Amino acid sequence: MSENASNSKDSLPRSSSSNSLYKQSAAANMMPSTTAASISSPLPSNNSVQSFRAPFLSPASRPNSTLWSPPSYAQYANTGFPASPSASTTALPLGTSPFASVVTKSKPPLPSTRLAAPLAKSEKPWLTQREPRSRLAYFITYFCIFLGAAAAAVVCWHGIATVDVLDRNSLCLVLDEEFSGSDLDSSTWNKDVELGGFGNGEFEMTTDSSDNLYISNGELFIMPTVTTAKVSNIFQGNYTLQGCTADMTTIAAGSNSTNSTSASTCTVVANTLRGTVIPPVQSARVNTKGKKNIKFGKVEIRAKLPTGDWLWPAVWMLPENNTYGAWPLSGEIDIIEARGNNPTYPAQGSNFVRSTLSYGPLPTLVNRIFGWFSMKRSSFADDFHIYTFEWTENYIRLSVDTVLHSMLTIETKPGQRKNSYWAKAGFPETARNGTDGEGDLVVVQDPYTVPEATRAAPFDQSFYLIIDVAAGGTSGWFPDNKGNKPWFDGSQTAMRDFAQEQDTWYRTWPQSANDRAFRIDYVKMWDQCK
């Protein structure tokens, strides 16, 4: 027994005295002096150590038992500690401990700070006399509010007052076309029947066929179709356009001509070896030249755009008499241009419409002022929209549906630093008069200094209206390397390359005329008569 006891003591790390351990502990310091003194004597040196530490050993190290139970505090009954049965498993009440009566004392609740009743005015001495500057503070606050409201009103009024609005009383109706008949009125409209590319290297021929131009349900339809529906082989042979309205001139189709003054063509020679083809698309184009024109005024068109890859619908105007010379000297007004490609097309598809003013002293030196309007969740081919052109000596505005949806607004009011179109262009003093930067170096002269010119020149002369649907072209309207474009503008075989990909682009053209055709509901023109 003595050997076991000795071994037990040696196996437990301990200091020289268990009494000194307790005396130096925090519990001894918290106890009353009398209590601590009475506890110090009964602590045994050997067995107490084992029974005191046993509860804190791991289950495998607890002596003589596989089931641990709480230790008994009966031996401390007269020391001030509450006794506890050795096998009790009852939990102590929440918030209590054996040391509660010794360590802590409950505190009474703090008195409430809530007022028993609202204070009377007499109990608020700070209200008997106002602060000296309180009136000034109120005045400054309300004055600043009034000043802000007044400034906002002035800004709004100025914004409304400075908007250029045409006086309806100054407008005289020139054209009110509702397309109520079975065919176009020949006293108003001309039909262009040509296949020369119209200066843009376009890939369509325009016809007067009822397949491409007709009126239905009070709307004008310009319907593009493929030439292969009527011509078996567009890559070989001669083709003469019936009813051609231009001089009979024969050229190799597909040439990349950009000279708008060149004669239109009525006959084409297609040759596979030369890379020339019969235009693969048939469409239509109408104009009011020599019949309806305006100088300053307003144009309004309600229309639904076509959809289909590489289709190019347009409503635009050209000068009636070329007062300042051939294009581009006398200018061009594009009221609306669009692309039939779907909205995912990276160079502005059918969810964009665009307006442009073009003019310049040389065919190689052209200034273009343009703007556009877009729709985020739909396309202009989904429904009808109203396109408006307002034109005076002081300004030009082109808009969609409302003046708030402006595609392009440009002013030439008196007193402005650049109050003329020539000044706005900022043309250089010299330029090459040939294509691709070649040709002779010539001095760039202002052609709008003639006596009859105004600050609105060249847009101060009579213009007539054109409506058409083109296909493709080499003028840059469809940029190279965008949207799987099947041709390059600079290629001499551009039209042939386009025609060879007909199976691809024709699949994007709707079979329904309601969606493929350019549908015009009405056209109205007013002249500024006062």
Side-chain angles (χ1 to χ4, degrees):
M1 291 291 292
S2 62
E3 290 177 1
N4 293 336
S6 176
N7 291 338
S8 174
K9 287 185 289 181
D10 293 339
S11 63
L12 294 173
R14 52 190 295 242
S15 62
S16 59
S17 170
S18 296
N19 270 343
S20 64
L21 283 173
Y22 179 77
K23 291 176 182 179
Q24 296 172 10
S25 67
N29 293 332
M30 294 168 62
M31 294 289 290
S33 58
T34 56
T35 305
S38 62
I39 290 177
S40 62
S41 59
L43 291 174
S45 60
N46 293 331
N47 294 336
S48 313
V49 171
Q50 187 175 21
S51 62
F52 181 74
R53 293 182 61 84
F56 301 93
L57 297 177
S58 65
S61 304
R62 293 170 189 154
N64 305 326
S65 175
T66 59
L67 181 64
W68 177 81
S69 59
S72 173
Y73 297 95
Q75 54 183 322
Y76 306 115
N78 298 323
T79 64
F81 289 95
S84 175
S86 59
S88 173
T89 59
T90 305
L92 292 174
L94 186 64
T96 63
S97 71
F99 303 98
S101 60
V102 179
V103 180
T104 61
K105 293 183 180 180
S106 60
K107 294 182 180 180
L110 295 175
S112 173
T113 58
R114 182 178 179 182
L115 296 176
L119 294 176
K121 239 182 182 182
S122 59
E123 296 176 292
K124 301 177 182 178
W126 59 87
L127 296 181
T128 57
Q129 185 177 3
R130 284 189 174 185
E131 289 288 333
R133 298 183 181 179
S134 61
R135 290 181 181 274
L136 179 62
Y138 277 109
F139 173 78
I140 292 175
T141 300
Y142 287 116
F143 177 76
C144 289
I145 293 174
F146 170 78
L147 192 63
V154 170
V155 170
C156 292
W157 175 83
H158 182 266
I160 295 172
T162 55
V163 171
D164 295 311
V165 179
L166 278 173
D167 182 5
R168 296 194 178 192
N169 295 325
S170 68
L171 298 178
C172 298
L173 187 64
V174 173
L175 174 64
D176 186 6
E177 179 62 85
E178 300 283 349
F179 302 109
S180 55
S182 59
D183 197 3
L184 287 176
D185 184 357
S186 60
S187 65
T188 300
W189 300 99
N190 303 307
K191 300 177 183 178
D192 289 329
V193 180
E194 302 179 14
L195 49 67
F198 297 101
N200 296 314
E202 298 165 15
F203 302 152
E204 86 286 349
M205 65 177 80
T206 57
T207 77
D208 58 358
S209 169
S210 59
D211 293 336
N212 305 118
L213 183 68
Y214 59 93
I215 293 175
S216 177
N217 297 322
E219 298 172 9
L220 176 65
F221 281 68
I222 300 179
M223 176 72 172
T225 59
V226 290
T227 305
T228 52
K230 296 181 178 180
V231 179
S232 59
N233 187 358
I234 64 173
F235 297 97
Q236 195 70 35
N238 298 345
Y239 180 81
T240 299
L241 182 60
Q242 298 299 318
C244 185
T245 58
D247 295 333
M248 294 294 291
T249 306
T250 303
I251 66 167
S255 64
N256 187 20
S257 172
T258 58
N259 184 1
S260 62
T261 63
S262 62
S264 299
T265 61
C266 298
T267 300
V268 59
V269 177
N271 189 300
T272 304
L273 296 178
R274 296 179 58 188
T276 58
V277 297
I278 300 170
V281 176
Q282 296 187 352
S283 185
R285 168 171 161 161
V286 297
N287 68 75
T288 64
K289 185 177 182 180
K291 298 176 179 179
K292 302 291 182 181
N293 57 72
I294 60 173
K295 174 186 175 181
F296 303 135
K298 181 178 179 180
V299 179
E300 185 175 291
I301 307 102
R302 184 175 185 267
K304 178 180 180 295
L305 301 186
T307 182
D309 283 0
W310 319 120
L311 293 179
W312 181 1
V315 178
W316 48 302
M317 304 183 79
L318 284 177
E320 185 77 43
N321 299 311
N322 285 332
T323 302
Y324 301 105
W327 193 93
L329 284 166
S330 292
E332 175 184 326
I333 302 169
D334 298 323
I335 298 176
I336 169 181
E337 292 181 287
R339 300 174 180 90
N341 303 61
N342 65 47
T344 62
Y345 176 66
Q348 297 184 346
S350 59
N351 58 327
F352 280 81
V353 287
R354 182 165 171 160
S355 297
T356 308
L357 301 180
S358 303
Y359 61 98
L362 300 168
T364 56
L365 190 60
V366 180
N367 185 52
R368 289 181 171 88
I369 305 174
F370 60 87
W372 61 77
F373 189 79
S374 65
M375 304 177 70
K376 297 184 180 298
R377 295 180 177 85
S378 60
S379 119
F380 290 97
D382 293 338
D383 205 349
F384 284 86
H385 293 272
I386 298 174
Y387 305 96
T388 304
F389 167 49
E390 297 169 279
W391 176 27
T392 72
E393 187 177 356
N394 291 331
Y395 71 93
I396 283 178
R397 179 170 57 231
L398 298 115
S399 55
V400 183
D401 294 327
T402 169
V403 294
L404 299 178
H405 297 169
S406 174
M407 292 181 283
L408 176 65
T409 300
I410 186 166
E411 295 181 346
T412 52
K413 295 180 179 179
Q416 293 183 341
R417 185 174 64 88
K418 293 184 177 181
N419 67 339
S420 71
Y421 289 100
W422 179 262
K424 293 178 187 299
F427 291 115
E429 294 182 357
T430 61
R432 299 284 179 180
N433 62 358
T435 60
D436 300 326
E438 299 177 355
D440 297 331
L441 187 65
V442 298
V443 176
V444 177
Q445 297 180 344
D446 183 357
Y448 312 127
T449 56
V450 295
E452 61 270 22
T454 69
R455 62 179 180 275
F459 306 110
D460 60 351
Q461 55 185 315
S462 295
F463 278 68
Y464 66 90
L465 192 68
I466 306 169
I467 305 175
D468 73 294
V469 176
T474 57
S475 65
W477 178 246
F478 295 99
D480 288 343
N481 299 313
K482 296 288 187 181
N484 299 318
K485 179 182 172 182
W487 76 95
F488 289 96
D489 288 348
S491 172
Q492 294 298 316
T493 60
M495 188 183 297
R496 184 200 65 180
D497 298 338
F498 174 78
Q500 289 176 337
E501 295 296 325
Q502 178 173 315
D503 290 344
T504 300
W505 49 258
Y506 186 61
R507 283 199 298 267
T508 68
W509 292 15
Q511 294 303 307
S512 170
N514 288 335
D515 295 322
R516 189 197 300 184
F518 190 11
R519 297 163 56 188
I520 298 92
D521 182 31
Y522 65 76
V523 178
K524 297 181 180 182
M525 296 173 63
W526 294 267
D527 199 3
Q528 195 171 31
C529 52
K530 293 182 181 180

